[in-house]
Amino acid sequence: GGRTGGRSAMGESEGLVSVDYEVFGRVQGVFFRKYTQGEAKRLGLVGWVQNTSHGTVKGQVQGPTARVRELQDWLRKIGSPQSSISRAEFSNEKKITVLEHKDFQILK
């Protein structure tokens, strides 16, 4: 920190990233998507979340790196109150210059 002037606030460390995720465990029928959307919105992230046919929840999240890391941590450890997460996998992480989604949606 320590630098003055807000112009360089978006430094290299605060660039935007896009990450795909899939969460395994008891994550369907426990409002997992609703809570994921709520957490993502709280962090100011965009993307989507949906149930898969094989009992997992998957999606994509985009936003400032530090915030995306927070959601990754949440997906790995917390989830919705009734959920039981066995593991979360993240893939296709890449730096992006603009957000590709307008908000965080629950897909059917």
Side-chain angles (χ1 to χ4, degrees), residues 39 42-43 45 64-78:
E39 188 67 11
R42 188 181 72 78
L43 291 167
L45 301 171
T65 308
R67 301 282 189 178
V68 169
R69 293 284 174 263
E70 281 190 61
L71 188 71
Q72 286 179 294
D73 225 38
W74 185 91
L75 287 167
R76 203 180 278 122
K77 298 179 186 145
I78 301 169

Side-chain angles (χ1 to χ4, degrees), residues 7-88:
R7 275 192 191 286
S8 49
M10 291 291 281
E12 195 52 47
S13 64
E14 267 302 301
L16 300 171
V17 292
S18 171
V19 185
D20 296 347
Y21 61 87
E22 186 166 8
V23 186
F24 300 78
R26 198 179 80 219
V27 292
Q28 290 192 6
V30 292
F31 301 105
F32 198 91
R33 292 172 301 170
K34 181 169 170 280
Y35 275 86
T36 301
Q37 181 188 47
E39 188 67 11
K41 283 182 186 271
R42 188 181 72 78
L43 291 167
L45 301 171
V46 300
W48 53 272
V49 60
Q50 71 179 147
N51 285 342
T52 70
S53 56
H54 50 275
T56 67
V57 168
K58 71 169 185 178
Q60 185 178 68
V61 57
Q62 299 183 345
T65 308
R67 301 282 189 178
V68 169
R69 293 284 174 263
E70 281 190 61
L71 188 71
Q72 286 179 294
D73 225 38
W74 185 91
L75 287 167
R76 203 180 278 122
K77 298 179 186 145
I78 301 169
S80 68
Q82 288 95 32
S83 67
S84 174
I85 301 165
S86 55
R87 73 183 193 279

